[in-house]
Amino acid sequence: MRLSQSFIPTMRQDPGEAEVTSHRLMLRAGMIRKVAAGIYSYLPLGLRVIRKIEAIIREEMNRAGAQELLLPILSPAELWKETGRWDFYGKELIRLHDRHERDFCLGPTHEEVVTDLFRREVSSYRQLPLTLYQIQTKFRDEIRPRFGLMRGREFIMKDAYSFDQDEASAQHNYQQMHDAYCRIFSRTGLQFRPVEADTGLIGGISSHEFMVLANTGEELIVFDPDSAYAANVERAEVVPPPTQTPEKLNPLEKVSTPNAKSVEDLSTLLKVDANRVVKTLLYQTGENEITAVLIRGDHQANEIKIQRFLGIHDLTLASPDAVERITNAPVGFVGPVGLSPVRLLADHAIGALSDFIVGGNETDVHLINVNSPRDFAVDDWGDFRQAQAGDLSPNSDSRLQTARGIEVGHVFMLGTKYSEKMGATFLDAEGQSQPAIMGCYGIGVSRTAAAAVEQNHDEKGICWPMPIAPFQAQILPVTNSDAVRQTSEKLYHELGKENIEVLLDDRNERGGVKFNDADMIGTPYHIIIGDKSLANNTIEVKDRKTGEKIHLPPDQVIGWIKEAVTRKLKIEA
RNA sequence: CGGGGCGUAGCGCAGCCCGGUAGCGCGCCUGCUUUGGGAGCAGGAUGUCGGAGGUUCGAAUCCUCUCGCCCCGACCA
């Protein structure tokens, strides 16, 4: 393609609206433009990247035995009411109604629609297993859309759904999808890691997330450097420490701790490590129900674990008013001793502590040398905290490390959650009606493009991995003599004939402008043609990522590029 | 939804405190020169100052309301 005739509006300056790398660079490279918060147009260059990612996904999904279809974006409320998600999905579901006042929503995911299709069309175990997928625009009215394509309200997703007749077959299918995902992300040239994950709103039994490792990632994962174990922190189990019962306990004491409201204040004031302090968090767990959770001072509460333990979906910290009502003290002085009317949960880590420090349920007072069960009774013990770096791995004797990641894919083992609610059954070999065992599998296509930029860029712009680069090579005539123009045109046509995706910068711009735009756009190979090198009968080829430049005789350029592109497509595959 | 910030030319911004001609840089258009890392000179076009209401002789500027956007926290591909 000729740059002079292309719609690739690059920007010289950083746009004010973008802070995050991928967002900034995709805007500057002329790949996307914002229409509204979390809603973007894909310009020709951006769309080429999306299409390449989609092509890799299609190949691998087809290879794994999945069949592509296309479900409607608009779906009727009735289906969502059947599974209860019309209410449960909340404000994230974009709702609208037609001229007859019938309720519809814009699909945020398609379990309902695909399960409805299944129950109408599939009736025998002979038709199983069945895996269907689509690549389509999805809508989620995110609480806070941000970072350009990273978290949009409208985004492109590949979603797949599997239906199996028994557990073993479903597990096999799940594993097949898991493996297909590994191949897909490897082929896109990304560094990623599958991790154990929570099932969230989709629900189900087990799940893995595919994380592209990047410092700007929104997710925190823990991993064991010496085994395959890796998990989202919100999911990662914490190995309970051995409980210790010291020989002698010190007597409980009240101490004055004016204004020491945080663990940090307290540990500074009393000159103790935060791990000797125990915080008592009060959560609103029902309309008139408060639950207290004890967490060690240097640990973070994991609200997802607490929710799962309590079997509730909604968990918020109790309001300051509620705290005062229960403890007669402001936030910051809550403690388990004498905290009668609420249910008390404690993280396992508390069991290994003795003579620790807690709030005194009295303004500016804490208690020291507190011990359980001597001084208070715990209703339930459990794993209620966030895993963190330095925790023991559940798989080996190693200590866990943390890394940031961008969630680009998620596979779920759903079980019969949807098939039972919607009556998606089949007749087994004995003629018995059985609910299909389902799995669902998503890939954020547009997010994957953004993640690729996060992982492949430098101060000058994007450095696309070959398999998803919008173009494979870019010709830069940097001076404007006839010889340069003719050589450029000739190369452009010949590379085209060899099926190399090549962009010719035939604009009447100075060399500097072309260099900068090419670096910004991130085409893997730049073919630089100027009078200087032509005089030596050479053409310069620059590797965008490494910055390496080689000088080739003009007649060797085509062969060299062809070989290099093929090799990079293969290596990164 | 809570907290912070911002809406002025296509983009990046100044002007606002202290009311009185709407400005700068880049880009865009024309011409000439230039052409290996964001060219020079000359000429030119471009704005309902986010919107509504109010105060005032007069509002980008002051007041009220509203809409939108970005960033930080609770959701997710």
Side-chain angles (χ1 to χ4, degrees):
Chain A
M1 195 182 284
R2 289 170 186 276
L3 204 35
S4 66
Q5 280 146 50
S6 307
F7 184 53
I8 302 177
T10 56
M11 298 161 91
R12 292 197 174 206
Q13 284 158 301
D14 277 337
E17 75 188 51
E19 302 252 327
V20 165
T21 304
S22 61
H23 187 198
R24 204 182 77 236
L25 293 180
M26 291 181 94
L27 283 166
R28 285 196 61 183
M31 303 187 53
I32 57 168
R33 285 294 183 264
K34 188 181 70 189
V35 175
I39 299 175
Y40 288 83
S41 296
Y42 301 93
L43 309 192
L45 210 54
L47 186 61
R48 287 182 77 100
V49 173
I50 297 287
R51 293 290 185 240
K52 290 218 170 170
I53 296 170
E54 288 177 352
I56 292 171
I57 292 173
R58 284 199 170 89
E59 267 182 51
E60 295 298 337
M61 291 306 288
N62 293 346
R63 192 208 300 219
Q67 298 172 65
E68 186 171 8
L69 49 49
L70 189 57
L71 302 167
I73 288 172
L74 205 56
S75 63
E78 292 75 67
L79 290 177
W80 293 80
K81 285 177 179 162
E82 280 189 54
T83 59
R85 288 209 292 186
W86 183 256
D87 296 318
F88 192 57
Y89 224 104
K91 288 188 177 172
E92 207 167 304
L93 193 61
I94 296 187
R95 295 154 211 260
L96 59 171
H97 52 255
D98 66 10
R99 61 169 69 198
H100 306 294
E101 297 295 319
R102 293 186 195 110
D103 288 320
F104 286 83
C105 66
L106 297 180
T109 172
H110 279 70
E111 284 81 8
E112 280 79 0
V113 178
V114 79
T115 305
D116 177 58
L117 181 67
F118 178 93
R119 70 180 167 188
R120 289 166 189 273
E121 308 301 332
V122 177
S123 45
S124 159
Y125 73 98
R126 292 174 201 276
Q127 294 163 282
L128 301 179
L130 178 65
T131 303
L132 302 170
Y133 78 97
Q134 62 172 343
I135 297 176
Q136 186 199 48
T137 300
K138 293 282 189 281
F139 296 83
R140 293 183 190 177
D141 201 354
E142 291 281 345
I143 297 168
R144 179 148 92 91
R146 59 185 148 171
F147 306 158
L149 294 192
M150 205 73 87
R151 178 177 299 281
R153 293 191 290 174
E154 174 178 329
F155 60 99
I156 300 171
M157 175 163 128
K158 185 285 303 180
D159 48 323
Y161 307 89
S162 65
F163 299 88
D164 282 278
Q165 57 178 311
D166 57 41
E167 201 63 47
S169 159
Q171 281 298 346
H172 175 74
N173 221 331
Y174 181 84
Q175 193 57 43
Q176 251 188 331
M177 285 295 136
H178 184 283
D179 296 348
Y181 272 39
C182 288
R183 284 196 301 275
I184 288 166
F185 294 117
S186 297
R187 284 188 58 188
T188 55
L190 295 174
Q191 300 235 260
F192 71 97
R193 186 147 199 163
V195 307
E196 291 179 15
D198 188 65
T199 51
L201 264 189
I202 309 275
I205 301 157
S206 66
S207 92
H208 284 85
E209 287 168 336
F210 288 76
M211 296 286 191
V212 164
L213 304 176
N215 292 333
T216 47
E218 294 181 88
E219 302 294 330
L220 193 63
I221 64 174
V222 291
F223 64 95
D224 175 351
D226 300 316
S227 81
Y229 182 78
N232 194 310
V233 282
E234 62 190 30
R235 166 75 194 193
E237 325 141 39
V238 174
V239 183
T243 40
Q244 291 168 348
T245 25
E247 321 239 310
K248 186 168 167 267
L249 300 175
N250 289 314
L252 185 74
E253 236 179 90
K254 249 191 201 188
V255 291
S256 165
T257 52
N259 289 320
K261 292 184 178 174
S262 67
V263 169
E264 209 189 333
D265 296 342
L266 202 60
S267 62
T268 316
L269 183 77
L270 300 179
K271 299 194 175 58
V272 292
D273 285 342
N275 62 15
R276 308 229 29 99
V277 178
V278 169
K279 50 190 173 187
T280 308
L281 303 169
L282 296 183
Y283 285 102
Q284 195 78 42
T285 46
E287 226 169 281
N288 289 308
E289 190 188 291
I290 300 270
T291 303
V293 184
L294 299 183
I295 303 286
R296 208 172 79 185
D298 58 330
H299 290 157
Q300 295 286 318
N302 181 323
E303 298 185 354
I304 291 173
K305 288 180 180 173
I306 299 168
Q307 280 178 23
R308 195 180 301 127
F309 181 85
L310 295 171
I312 56 175
H313 308 301
D314 217 10
L315 189 71
T316 45
L317 278 171
S319 66
D321 288 355
V323 172
E324 290 220 39
R325 209 165 50 238
I326 289 179
T327 67
N328 300 315
V331 175
F333 300 96
V334 184
V337 181
L339 191 68
S340 50
V342 304
R343 184 172 175 188
L344 184 62
L345 309 184
D347 182 69
H348 289 309
I350 311 300
L353 288 181
S354 57
D355 288 345
F356 49 88
I357 300 163
V358 301
N361 296 323
E362 196 176 317
T363 306
D364 295 341
V365 170
H366 280 80
L367 303 177
I368 63 169
N369 299 330
V370 177
N371 289 282
S372 157
R374 187 191 70 187
D375 304 319
F376 63 90
V378 170
D379 293 312
D380 293 285
W381 293 89
D383 174 13
F384 300 126
R385 75 167 171 98
Q386 200 105 310
Q388 59 189 33
D391 285 349
L392 206 56
S393 163
N395 264 25
S396 73
D397 293 334
S398 309
R399 299 279 163 183
L400 295 176
Q401 298 179 8
T402 56
R404 295 222 142 255
I406 300 163
E407 184 190 352
V408 289
H410 205 156
V411 295
F412 297 86
M413 186 73 201
L414 290 175
T416 55
K417 172 175 169 171
Y418 292 92
S419 47
E420 275 181 15
K421 279 186 177 152
M422 296 184 67
T425 58
F426 62 93
L427 290 184
D428 65 17
E430 277 83 47
Q432 298 296 309
S433 181
Q434 304 279 358
I437 298 178
M438 293 176 59
C440 77
Y441 317 91
I443 290 179
V445 176
S446 37
R447 181 183 282 180
T448 300
V453 176
E454 290 293 338
Q455 214 173 59
N456 299 281
H457 70 272
D458 59 21
E459 64 290 345
K460 287 188 150 293
I462 305 172
C463 312
W464 288 109
M466 187 62 79
I468 58 172
F471 287 92
Q472 295 163 337
Q474 183 159 348
I475 300 173
L476 286 69
V478 290
T479 51
N480 70 347
S481 67
D482 287 347
V484 166
R485 193 173 307 117
Q486 280 160 18
T487 309
S488 301
E489 287 287 336
K490 187 162 168 257
L491 256 185
Y492 174 62
H493 284 111
E494 287 172 356
L495 282 169
K497 266 189 230 155
E498 296 292 339
N499 293 320
I500 300 296
E501 296 167 354
V502 59
L503 192 58
L504 170 62
D505 194 346
D506 58 342
R507 296 174 302 173
N508 182 24
E509 289 287 357
R510 297 166 65 89
V513 174
K514 295 187 183 183
F515 283 123
N516 283 307
D517 273 351
D519 287 342
M520 182 57 106
I521 289 170
T523 311
Y525 287 111
H526 299 172
I527 301 167
I528 300 159
I529 303 174
D531 290 304
K532 216 156 75 182
S533 50
L534 279 189
N536 302 324
N537 199 35
T538 61
I539 282 172
E540 194 176 314
V541 178
K542 183 179 116 178
D543 183 308
R544 171 66 183 88
K545 203 163 206 162
T546 64
E548 253 173 281
K549 291 176 181 172
I550 59 159
H551 297 265
L552 294 169
D555 60 347
Q556 288 182 22
V557 173
I558 309 266
W560 193 95
I561 291 282
K562 207 178 154 188
E563 189 278 326
V565 168
T566 312
R567 179 167 34 86
K568 285 212 170 181
L569 283 173
K570 268 205 195 107
I571 288 177
E572 288 170 2

